[in-house]
């Protein structure tokens, strides 16, 4: 399951690899300027607090996709335009947010992958609460650090 960013297609990947992949049933929206992206999973769990997310994307991403379990909250954002630009600069392939983002127009202009449930202009808190590099689950799928995740307009697939 390798290939260029632009060549990967989740429907074709599922047709070829079937049950080796989990399909995320939650209907995430694409917000970034790159709708097709993939990479090894890094995880973060936080609820309405994005300080740990900000600290994580400030480190080298090495082509990874940061999977953020925000508990599905849409009460405030976890990722905005400035943070996404920093993640892009630091080599992250994209971010999947089980929660809300903001700065939709800025995100759409970045050549960066962003999937999220929705948007909210309200800022998240910054206490640093949360955990990194743990197994998280949402949308009927389990995201293990190091597994590969694939995203495009059809949805999200992750290796079992």
């Amino acid at each position: 399951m390798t290939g260029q960013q632009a060549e990967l297609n989740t429907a074709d990947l599922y047709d070829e690899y079937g049950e080796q992949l989990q399909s995320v049933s939650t209907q995430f929206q694409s917000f970034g300027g790159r709708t097709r992206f993939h990479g090894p999973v890094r995880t973060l769990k936080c609820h309405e607090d994005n300080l740990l997310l900000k600290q994580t994307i400030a480190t080298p991403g090495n082509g990874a996709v940061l999977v953020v379990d925000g508990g599905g909250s849409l009460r405030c954002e976890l990722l905005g335009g400035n943070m996404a630009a920093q993640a892009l600069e630091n080599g992250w392939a994209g971010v999947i947010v089980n929660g809300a983002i903001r700065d939709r127009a800025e995100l759409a202009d970045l050549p960066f992958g962003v999937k999220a449930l929705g948007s909210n202009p309200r800022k998240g808190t910054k206490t640093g609460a949360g955990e990194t590099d743990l197994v998280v689950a949402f949308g009927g799928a389990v995201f293990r650090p190091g597994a590969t995740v694939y995203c495009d307009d059809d949805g999200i697939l992750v290796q079992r």
Side-chain angles (χ1 to χ4, degrees):
M1 288 183 262
T2 61
Q4 299 296 323
Q5 291 279 3
E7 295 174 3
L8 291 176
N9 176 302
T10 58
D12 292 341
L13 284 169
Y14 194 84
D15 288 349
E16 186 171 346
Y17 296 100
E19 292 305 309
Q20 295 177 44
L21 299 167
Q22 302 169 82
S23 176
V24 176
S25 60
T26 302
Q27 299 299 296
F28 281 79
Q29 299 177 54
S30 289
F31 291 98
R34 172 171 281 148
T35 59
R36 189 174 294 182
F37 60 99
H38 71 279
V41 169
R42 292 277 312 276
T43 62
L44 185 131
K45 187 171 187 171
C46 57
H47 184 74
E48 299 179 2
D49 187 307
N50 66 7
L51 181 59
L52 190 55
L53 172 56
K54 186 174 184 172
Q55 292 169 341
T56 302
I57 62 170
T59 65
N62 301 315
V65 175
L66 185 59
V67 177
V68 181
D69 185 359
S73 175
L74 298 173
R75 287 176 23 95
C76 60
E77 59 82 35
L78 290 175
L79 177 82
N82 291 337
M83 290 172 63
Q86 183 179 25
L88 176 63
E89 286 176 21
N90 288 328
W92 293 88
V95 179
I96 300 168
V97 180
N98 184 29
I101 56 86
R102 71 181 201 167
D103 302 325
R104 292 170 73 123
E106 287 178 46
L107 294 175
D109 287 341
L110 285 176
F112 186 67
V114 178
K115 291 263 193 192
L117 298 178
S119 63
N120 189 328
R122 181 180 179 210
K123 285 185 176 185
T125 61
K126 294 188 177 8
T127 67
E131 300 175 81
T132 59
D133 297 319
L134 66 159
V135 174
V136 298
F138 53 82
V142 176
F143 297 85
R144 294 175 292 103
T148 303
V149 64
Y150 304 90
C151 302
D152 67 10
D153 288 326
D154 282 337
I156 301 168
L157 296 174
V158 63
Q159 284 180 319
R160 288 192 185 272

